[in-house]
Amino acid sequence: MSDQNVQNAGFTSSGIRGGSLASSMMSQEARVSGGGVHSGGPTATLQEMGARGSTHSSGFTSSGISGGSQASQMMSQEARSHGGGTPRGGTTPTVQSI
């Protein structure tokens, strides 16, 4: 995943850009969860990367998730909490797609 993709999606060092994919994700995630965006969820994870200005070493790459990385730990944790698979629209697949 490139820093530019995260920025282009609207996850920036100054916050989520209005009218962007990021703001749509945040709105949808908040509606589904009853009004808030959960720490560790797709929006929060991507915003953390955007705020840092760097996605390097996170493990989300154009060729997949790197073994032993933060991304692989996220995927493993998400799979365990959902009975063995990562759900469509979950944190790991959303972040990987961007």
Side-chain angles (χ1 to χ4, degrees), residues 24-38 40-44:
S24 295
M25 281 179 62
M26 183 174 66
S27 177
Q28 181 179 3
E29 190 176 342
R31 280 194 305 273
V32 168
S33 67
V37 175
H38 297 289
T43 302

Side-chain angles (χ1 to χ4, degrees), residues 19 23 30 43 52 55 57 93:
S23 67
T43 302
R52 277 195 323 250
T55 60
S57 76

